[in-house]
Amino acid sequence: MLSKKAERFLSDLRIYLTTYGKNEQEIEDIVSELEDHFVQAEKHGKNIEEITGGSPKAYMDQLRVEMKTDQKEILSALLLFFPLALAFVILPDALQGNAAYTLLDIIGNLTAFVIGLGMFILFLRLESSRSLSKAARIAMYWVIGFVPMGIFLGIKLLNRFMDLSPVFIATPSQNYMIAVACGLFLIGYSIFAKTWVTIIVPCIIIVPDFIADLLTASPQDRAIVSLGIMIGLIVLYLVYLVIQNRRKAQ
């Protein structure tokens, strides 16, 4: 049996190498070999610090440098991420029957996707290779959650201020098809990846508008209530992630 520290190290190593685009099968092979090595080393009284030479980060980097970067792995991840992020954005609009986008929407959303992806990868690398304090983890969760959301909200405000005309306006039938396609994609991904994130995130985006419609009459009140509910749901989800992270660390 491996110690909890050794198990955590192997789990972090898997994440760390994945963020650098290493081949999934090669990662699993290395993790399997290291697991056997750690079992034998711990039987002889060595701990994870002694096995990794006192620096888990340096040990991970050494393995990373020795492995080739799999360009196909990176491309497949990007091809999966962007449709996923796109579905998060257009599903709420399609459900409300108003999927229409200006050039600013398209460019701004792509920018938010890239920034969000970069921040997420950076966070995974830092969390998996360093012993971050609880405060640092909480701060990074907040930044990752609110920066992309802030960009999306900023785009909407700019659109209203500049009164830009949409370059694409979906018809009622197109809205229906978009909503069905996005819903099926998110559910399929959730089943494939064994995660609730692709269900929870759209709910955080969609549910506030429906609740605001029931509670308010004017567009201004609706926007304020919807934003407040959305922020509240984001905070609750981030708190849940922090609690889960603490449980795993114990």
Side-chain angles (χ1 to χ4, degrees):
M1 287 288 294
L2 281 174
S3 65
K4 287 187 177 181
K5 283 189 176 181
E7 289 179 352
R8 178 63 186 268
F9 174 82
L10 292 177
S11 176
D12 288 343
L13 176 63
R14 185 182 283 107
I15 295 172
Y16 187 71
L17 294 177
T18 299
T19 63
Y20 280 95
K22 306 306 179 182
N23 182 270
E24 184 178 356
Q25 186 56 53
E26 289 185 19
I27 293 174
E28 293 302 322
D29 291 342
I30 287 178
V31 170
S32 179
E33 290 177 12
L34 287 176
E35 184 176 359
D36 294 337
H37 174 62
F38 286 0
V39 168
Q40 295 302 318
E42 288 186 336
K43 282 183 179 179
H44 290 85
K46 290 186 177 181
N47 56 40
I48 189 65
E49 287 76 17
E50 292 174 315
I51 298 171
T52 59
S55 176
K57 172 66 167 58
Y59 193 86
M60 289 181 180
D61 282 332
Q62 182 181 351
L63 293 171
R64 174 179 61 83
V65 172
E66 293 173 356
M67 298 174 67
K68 291 183 179 180
T69 299
D70 190 339
Q71 301 296 335
K72 291 182 179 179
E73 201 80 20
I74 295 175
L75 181 61
S76 63
L78 290 175
L79 290 176
L80 184 61
F81 171 79
F82 282 105
L84 187 63
L86 185 63
F88 287 155
V89 173
I90 65 177
L91 177 59
D93 295 334
L95 286 174
Q96 295 173 2
N98 56 8
Y101 305 101
T102 65
L103 187 60
L104 177 62
D105 284 321
I106 297 171
I107 296 174
N109 288 336
L110 286 173
T111 301
F113 294 159
V114 172
I115 292 174
L117 177 61
M119 292 173 61
F120 182 64
I121 291 174
L122 178 61
F123 171 70
L124 288 178
R125 288 179 181 176
L126 289 174
E127 187 182 38
S128 61
S129 63
R130 290 177 172 84
S131 298
L132 298 178
S133 65
K134 292 179 181 179
R137 284 195 176 92
I138 293 173
M140 293 184 74
Y141 279 129
W142 278 86
V143 170
I144 291 173
F146 280 100
V147 168
M149 186 64 65
I151 295 175
F152 289 134
L153 293 175
I155 292 169
K156 289 186 177 182
L157 291 174
L158 275 175
N159 269 323
R160 291 179 182 178
F161 178 75
M162 300 173 68
D163 195 22
L164 299 175
S165 300
V167 295
F168 170 77
I169 302 176
T171 63
S173 59
Q174 287 174 334
N175 276 309
Y176 177 78
M177 289 187 289
I178 290 171
V180 171
C182 289
L184 290 175
F185 177 76
L186 292 173
I187 292 171
Y189 183 86
S190 177
I191 295 171
F192 172 76
K194 298 179 180 179
T195 176
W196 284 98
V197 173
T198 54
I199 304 298
I200 293 173
V201 171
C203 287
I204 290 175
I205 298 172
I206 296 167
V207 170
D209 283 337
F210 284 99
I211 296 177
D213 283 337
L214 297 173
L215 299 178
T216 61
S218 69
Q220 293 83 0
D221 291 341
R222 178 179 174 276
I224 294 172
V225 172
S226 177
L227 179 60
I229 295 172
M230 183 183 295
I231 292 174
L233 291 175
I234 292 173
V235 170
L236 287 175
Y237 186 54
L238 290 175
V239 169
Y240 167 78
L241 292 177
V242 171
I243 293 173
Q244 288 293 100
N245 188 64
R246 287 180 180 176
R247 288 178 178 175
K248 290 180 181 179
Q250 289 176 354

mmCIF file with all atom_site columns, all heavy atoms in Angstrom, residues 138-153:
data_model
loop_
_atom_site.group_PDB
_atom_site.id
_atom_site.type_symbol
_atom_site.label_atom_id
_atom_site.label_alt_id
_atom_site.label_comp_id
_atom_site.label_asym_id
_atom_site.label_entity_id
_atom_site.label_seq_id
_atom_site.pdbx_PDB_ins_code
_atom_site.Cartn_x
_atom_site.Cartn_y
_atom_site.Cartn_z
_atom_site.occupancy
_atom_site.B_iso_or_equiv
_atom_site.pdbx_formal_charge
_atom_site.auth_seq_id
_atom_site.auth_comp_id
_atom_site.auth_asym_id
_atom_site.auth_atom_id
_atom_site.pdbx_PDB_model_num
ATOM 1   N N   . ILE A 1 138 ? -7.700  29.204 -2.634  1.00 0.00 ? 138 ILE A N   1
ATOM 2   C CA  . ILE A 1 138 ? -8.982  29.902 -2.661  1.00 0.00 ? 138 ILE A CA  1
ATOM 3   C C   . ILE A 1 138 ? -8.919  31.105 -3.590  1.00 0.00 ? 138 ILE A C   1
ATOM 4   O O   . ILE A 1 138 ? -9.827  31.343 -4.392  1.00 0.00 ? 138 ILE A O   1
ATOM 5   C CB  . ILE A 1 138 ? -9.382  30.348 -1.238  1.00 0.00 ? 138 ILE A CB  1
ATOM 6   C CG1 . ILE A 1 138 ? -9.677  29.118 -0.371  1.00 0.00 ? 138 ILE A CG1 1
ATOM 7   C CG2 . ILE A 1 138 ? -10.595 31.270 -1.291  1.00 0.00 ? 138 ILE A CG2 1
ATOM 8   C CD1 . ILE A 1 138 ? -9.913  29.444 1.093   1.00 0.00 ? 138 ILE A CD1 1
ATOM 9   N N   . ALA A 1 139 ? -7.822  31.864 -3.507  1.00 0.00 ? 139 ALA A N   1
ATOM 10  C CA  . ALA A 1 139 ? -7.649  33.043 -4.361  1.00 0.00 ? 139 ALA A CA  1
ATOM 11  C C   . ALA A 1 139 ? -7.633  32.656 -5.835  1.00 0.00 ? 139 ALA A C   1
ATOM 12  O O   . ALA A 1 139 ? -8.243  33.336 -6.682  1.00 0.00 ? 139 ALA A O   1
ATOM 13  C CB  . ALA A 1 139 ? -6.354  33.772 -3.994  1.00 0.00 ? 139 ALA A CB  1
ATOM 14  N N   . MET A 1 140 ? -6.968  31.545 -6.153  1.00 0.00 ? 140 MET A N   1
ATOM 15  C CA  . MET A 1 140 ? -6.888  31.119 -7.552  1.00 0.00 ? 140 MET A CA  1
ATOM 16  C C   . MET A 1 140 ? -8.237  30.623 -8.057  1.00 0.00 ? 140 MET A C   1
ATOM 17  O O   . MET A 1 140 ? -8.602  30.856 -9.211  1.00 0.00 ? 140 MET A O   1
ATOM 18  C CB  . MET A 1 140 ? -5.813  30.034 -7.699  1.00 0.00 ? 140 MET A CB  1
ATOM 19  C CG  . MET A 1 140 ? -4.411  30.557 -7.450  1.00 0.00 ? 140 MET A CG  1
ATOM 20  S SD  . MET A 1 140 ? -3.116  29.329 -7.733  1.00 0.00 ? 140 MET A SD  1
ATOM 21  C CE  . MET A 1 140 ? -3.103  29.265 -9.509  1.00 0.00 ? 140 MET A CE  1
ATOM 22  N N   . TYR A 1 141 ? -8.997  29.947 -7.202  1.00 0.00 ? 141 TYR A N   1
ATOM 23  C CA  . TYR A 1 141 ? -10.347 29.537 -7.584  1.00 0.00 ? 141 TYR A CA  1
ATOM 24  C C   . TYR A 1 141 ? -11.188 30.769 -7.931  1.00 0.00 ? 141 TYR A C   1
ATOM 25  O O   . TYR A 1 141 ? -11.933 30.778 -8.920  1.00 0.00 ? 141 TYR A O   1
ATOM 26  C CB  . TYR A 1 141 ? -11.020 28.759 -6.448  1.00 0.00 ? 141 TYR A CB  1
ATOM 27  C CG  . TYR A 1 141 ? -10.638 27.296 -6.361  1.00 0.00 ? 141 TYR A CG  1
ATOM 28  C CD1 . TYR A 1 141 ? -10.197 26.740 -5.160  1.00 0.00 ? 141 TYR A CD1 1
ATOM 29  C CD2 . TYR A 1 141 ? -10.732 26.465 -7.470  1.00 0.00 ? 141 TYR A CD2 1
ATOM 30  C CE1 . TYR A 1 141 ? -9.861  25.395 -5.074  1.00 0.00 ? 141 TYR A CE1 1
ATOM 31  C CE2 . TYR A 1 141 ? -10.401 25.125 -7.395  1.00 0.00 ? 141 TYR A CE2 1
ATOM 32  C CZ  . TYR A 1 141 ? -9.967  24.588 -6.189  1.00 0.00 ? 141 TYR A CZ  1
ATOM 33  O OH  . TYR A 1 141 ? -9.635  23.264 -6.106  1.00 0.00 ? 141 TYR A OH  1
ATOM 34  N N   . TRP A 1 142 ? -11.086 31.784 -7.095  1.00 0.00 ? 142 TRP A N   1
ATOM 35  C CA  . TRP A 1 142 ? -11.856 33.006 -7.331  1.00 0.00 ? 142 TRP A CA  1
ATOM 36  C C   . TRP A 1 142 ? -11.436 33.684 -8.635  1.00 0.00 ? 142 TRP A C   1
ATOM 37  O O   . TRP A 1 142 ? -12.281 34.126 -9.406  1.00 0.00 ? 142 TRP A O   1
ATOM 38  C CB  . TRP A 1 142 ? -11.675 33.963 -6.157  1.00 0.00 ? 142 TRP A CB  1
ATOM 39  C CG  . TRP A 1 142 ? -12.551 33.653 -4.996  1.00 0.00 ? 142 TRP A CG  1
ATOM 40  C CD1 . TRP A 1 142 ? -12.299 32.776 -3.987  1.00 0.00 ? 142 TRP A CD1 1
ATOM 41  C CD2 . TRP A 1 142 ? -13.841 34.202 -4.713  1.00 0.00 ? 142 TRP A CD2 1
ATOM 42  N NE1 . TRP A 1 142 ? -13.346 32.730 -3.093  1.00 0.00 ? 142 TRP A NE1 1
ATOM 43  C CE2 . TRP A 1 142 ? -14.304 33.599 -3.509  1.00 0.00 ? 142 TRP A CE2 1
ATOM 44  C CE3 . TRP A 1 142 ? -14.651 35.142 -5.348  1.00 0.00 ? 142 TRP A CE3 1
ATOM 45  C CZ2 . TRP A 1 142 ? -15.544 33.913 -2.952  1.00 0.00 ? 142 TRP A CZ2 1
ATOM 46  C CZ3 . TRP A 1 142 ? -15.886 35.455 -4.773  1.00 0.00 ? 142 TRP A CZ3 1
ATOM 47  C CH2 . TRP A 1 142 ? -16.313 34.843 -3.608  1.00 0.00 ? 142 TRP A CH2 1
ATOM 48  N N   . VAL A 1 143 ? -10.141 33.780 -8.854  1.00 0.00 ? 143 VAL A N   1
ATOM 49  C CA  . VAL A 1 143 ? -9.648  34.443 -10.071 1.00 0.00 ? 143 VAL A CA  1
ATOM 50  C C   . VAL A 1 143 ? -10.120 33.700 -11.314 1.00 0.00 ? 143 VAL A C   1
ATOM 51  O O   . VAL A 1 143 ? -10.619 34.306 -12.277 1.00 0.00 ? 143 VAL A O   1
ATOM 52  C CB  . VAL A 1 143 ? -8.108  34.526 -10.052 1.00 0.00 ? 143 VAL A CB  1
ATOM 53  C CG1 . VAL A 1 143 ? -7.585  34.988 -11.413 1.00 0.00 ? 143 VAL A CG1 1
ATOM 54  C CG2 . VAL A 1 143 ? -7.643  35.492 -8.975  1.00 0.00 ? 143 VAL A CG2 1
ATOM 55  N N   . ILE A 1 144 ? -9.970  32.369 -11.312 1.00 0.00 ? 144 ILE A N   1
ATOM 56  C CA  . ILE A 1 144 ? -10.369 31.560 -12.469 1.00 0.00 ? 144 ILE A CA  1
ATOM 57  C C   . ILE A 1 144 ? -11.876 31.665 -12.708 1.00 0.00 ? 144 ILE A C   1
ATOM 58  O O   . ILE A 1 144 ? -12.343 31.666 -13.852 1.00 0.00 ? 144 ILE A O   1
ATOM 59  C CB  . ILE A 1 144 ? -9.966  30.082 -12.260 1.00 0.00 ? 144 ILE A CB  1
ATOM 60  C CG1 . ILE A 1 144 ? -8.449  29.957 -12.309 1.00 0.00 ? 144 ILE A CG1 1
ATOM 61  C CG2 . ILE A 1 144 ? -10.594 29.186 -13.322 1.00 0.00 ? 144 ILE A CG2 1
ATOM 62  C CD1 . ILE A 1 144 ? -7.949  28.573 -11.951 1.00 0.00 ? 144 ILE A CD1 1
ATOM 63  N N   . GLY A 1 145 ? -12.647 31.780 -11.628 1.00 0.00 ? 145 GLY A N   1
ATOM 64  C CA  . GLY A 1 145 ? -14.089 31.866 -11.779 1.00 0.00 ? 145 GLY A CA  1
ATOM 65  C C   . GLY A 1 145 ? -14.579 33.225 -12.251 1.00 0.00 ? 145 GLY A C   1
ATOM 66  O O   . GLY A 1 145 ? -15.487 33.314 -13.080 1.00 0.00 ? 145 GLY A O   1
ATOM 67  N N   . PHE A 1 146 ? -13.945 34.301 -11.760 1.00 0.00 ? 146 PHE A N   1
ATOM 68  C CA  . PHE A 1 146 ? -14.491 35.627 -11.995 1.00 0.00 ? 146 PHE A CA  1
ATOM 69  C C   . PHE A 1 146 ? -13.860 36.387 -13.173 1.00 0.00 ? 146 PHE A C   1
ATOM 70  O O   . PHE A 1 146 ? -14.528 37.243 -13.754 1.00 0.00 ? 146 PHE A O   1
ATOM 71  C CB  . PHE A 1 146 ? -14.379 36.472 -10.724 1.00 0.00 ? 146 PHE A CB  1
ATOM 72  C CG  . PHE A 1 146 ? -15.457 36.190 -9.731  1.00 0.00 ? 146 PHE A CG  1
ATOM 73  C CD1 . PHE A 1 146 ? -15.217 35.364 -8.651  1.00 0.00 ? 146 PHE A CD1 1
ATOM 74  C CD2 . PHE A 1 146 ? -16.718 36.716 -9.897  1.00 0.00 ? 146 PHE A CD2 1
ATOM 75  C CE1 . PHE A 1 146 ? -16.215 35.078 -7.733  1.00 0.00 ? 146 PHE A CE1 1
ATOM 76  C CE2 . PHE A 1 146 ? -17.732 36.452 -8.991  1.00 0.00 ? 146 PHE A CE2 1
ATOM 77  C CZ  . PHE A 1 146 ? -17.485 35.621 -7.904  1.00 0.00 ? 146 PHE A CZ  1
ATOM 78  N N   . VAL A 1 147 ? -12.621 36.100 -13.534 1.00 0.00 ? 147 VAL A N   1
ATOM 79  C CA  . VAL A 1 147 ? -12.010 36.830 -14.652 1.00 0.00 ? 147 VAL A CA  1
ATOM 80  C C   . VAL A 1 147 ? -12.731 36.558 -15.974 1.00 0.00 ? 147 VAL A C   1
ATOM 81  O O   . VAL A 1 147 ? -13.145 37.501 -16.665 1.00 0.00 ? 147 VAL A O   1
ATOM 82  C CB  . VAL A 1 147 ? -10.499 36.501 -14.763 1.00 0.00 ? 147 VAL A CB  1
ATOM 83  C CG1 . VAL A 1 147 ? -9.935  37.034 -16.089 1.00 0.00 ? 147 VAL A CG1 1
ATOM 84  C CG2 . VAL A 1 147 ? -9.738  37.125 -13.602 1.00 0.00 ? 147 VAL A CG2 1
ATOM 85  N N   . PRO A 1 148 ? -12.919 35.274 -16.381 1.00 0.00 ? 148 PRO A N   1
ATOM 86  C CA  . PRO A 1 148 ? -13.676 35.043 -17.614 1.00 0.00 ? 148 PRO A CA  1
ATOM 87  C C   . PRO A 1 148 ? -15.096 35.587 -17.534 1.00 0.00 ? 148 PRO A C   1
ATOM 88  O O   . PRO A 1 148 ? -15.614 36.150 -18.501 1.00 0.00 ? 148 PRO A O   1
ATOM 89  C CB  . PRO A 1 148 ? -13.681 33.512 -17.750 1.00 0.00 ? 148 PRO A CB  1
ATOM 90  C CG  . PRO A 1 148 ? -12.487 33.059 -16.980 1.00 0.00 ? 148 PRO A CG  1
ATOM 91  C CD  . PRO A 1 148 ? -12.411 34.005 -15.825 1.00 0.00 ? 148 PRO A CD  1
ATOM 92  N N   . MET A 1 149 ? -15.748 35.422 -16.367 1.00 0.00 ? 149 MET A N   1
ATOM 93  C CA  . MET A 1 149 ? -17.103 35.944 -16.199 1.00 0.00 ? 149 MET A CA  1
ATOM 94  C C   . MET A 1 149 ? -17.119 37.457 -16.338 1.00 0.00 ? 149 MET A C   1
ATOM 95  O O   . MET A 1 149 ? -18.026 38.034 -16.948 1.00 0.00 ? 149 MET A O   1
ATOM 96  C CB  . MET A 1 149 ? -17.650 35.535 -14.829 1.00 0.00 ? 149 MET A CB  1
ATOM 97  C CG  . MET A 1 149 ? -19.110 35.920 -14.618 1.00 0.00 ? 149 MET A CG  1
ATOM 98  S SD  . MET A 1 149 ? -20.223 35.080 -15.764 1.00 0.00 ? 149 MET A SD  1
ATOM 99  C CE  . MET A 1 149 ? -19.986 33.379 -15.235 1.00 0.00 ? 149 MET A CE  1
ATOM 100 N N   . GLY A 1 150 ? -16.092 38.119 -15.801 1.00 0.00 ? 150 GLY A N   1
ATOM 101 C CA  . GLY A 1 150 ? -15.993 39.570 -15.929 1.00 0.00 ? 150 GLY A CA  1
ATOM 102 C C   . GLY A 1 150 ? -15.843 40.007 -17.381 1.00 0.00 ? 150 GLY A C   1
ATOM 103 O O   . GLY A 1 150 ? -16.410 41.020 -17.799 1.00 0.00 ? 150 GLY A O   1
ATOM 104 N N   . ILE A 1 151 ? -15.094 39.225 -18.156 1.00 0.00 ? 151 ILE A N   1
ATOM 105 C CA  . ILE A 1 151 ? -14.930 39.543 -19.583 1.00 0.00 ? 151 ILE A CA  1
ATOM 106 C C   . ILE A 1 151 ? -16.257 39.404 -20.313 1.00 0.00 ? 151 ILE A C   1
ATOM 107 O O   . ILE A 1 151 ? -16.628 40.262 -21.131 1.00 0.00 ? 151 ILE A O   1
ATOM 108 C CB  . ILE A 1 151 ? -13.858 38.619 -20.212 1.00 0.00 ? 151 ILE A CB  1
ATOM 109 C CG1 . ILE A 1 151 ? -12.484 38.899 -19.593 1.00 0.00 ? 151 ILE A CG1 1
ATOM 110 C CG2 . ILE A 1 151 ? -13.800 38.841 -21.726 1.00 0.00 ? 151 ILE A CG2 1
ATOM 111 C CD1 . ILE A 1 151 ? -11.402 37.958 -20.067 1.00 0.00 ? 151 ILE A CD1 1
ATOM 112 N N   . PHE A 1 152 ? -17.001 38.321 -20.037 1.00 0.00 ? 152 PHE A N   1
ATOM 113 C CA  . PHE A 1 152 ? -18.293 38.113 -20.678 1.00 0.00 ? 152 PHE A CA  1
ATOM 114 C C   . PHE A 1 152 ? -19.259 39.261 -20.360 1.00 0.00 ? 152 PHE A C   1
ATOM 115 O O   . PHE A 1 152 ? -19.951 39.777 -21.247 1.00 0.00 ? 152 PHE A O   1
ATOM 116 C CB  . PHE A 1 152 ? -18.915 36.788 -20.230 1.00 0.00 ? 152 PHE A CB  1
ATOM 117 C CG  . PHE A 1 152 ? -18.217 35.577 -20.784 1.00 0.00 ? 152 PHE A CG  1
ATOM 118 C CD1 . PHE A 1 152 ? -17.911 34.505 -19.961 1.00 0.00 ? 152 PHE A CD1 1
ATOM 119 C CD2 . PHE A 1 152 ? -17.875 35.499 -22.116 1.00 0.00 ? 152 PHE A CD2 1
ATOM 120 C CE1 . PHE A 1 152 ? -17.270 33.379 -20.456 1.00 0.00 ? 152 PHE A CE1 1
ATOM 121 C CE2 . PHE A 1 152 ? -17.238 34.385 -22.635 1.00 0.00 ? 152 PHE A CE2 1
ATOM 122 C CZ  . PHE A 1 152 ? -16.929 33.317 -21.805 1.00 0.00 ? 152 PHE A CZ  1
ATOM 123 N N   . LEU A 1 153 ? -19.312 39.659 -19.079 1.00 0.00 ? 153 LEU A N   1
ATOM 124 C CA  . LEU A 1 153 ? -20.191 40.751 -18.688 1.00 0.00 ? 153 LEU A CA  1
ATOM 125 C C   . LEU A 1 153 ? -19.753 42.069 -19.317 1.00 0.00 ? 153 LEU A C   1
ATOM 126 O O   . LEU A 1 153 ? -20.582 42.880 -19.736 1.00 0.00 ? 153 LEU A O   1
ATOM 127 C CB  . LEU A 1 153 ? -20.212 40.881 -17.161 1.00 0.00 ? 153 LEU A CB  1
ATOM 128 C CG  . LEU A 1 153 ? -20.861 39.727 -16.396 1.00 0.00 ? 153 LEU A CG  1
ATOM 129 C CD1 . LEU A 1 153 ? -20.709 39.938 -14.892 1.00 0.00 ? 153 LEU A CD1 1
ATOM 130 C CD2 . LEU A 1 153 ? -22.334 39.605 -16.749 1.00 0.00 ? 153 LEU A CD2 1
#
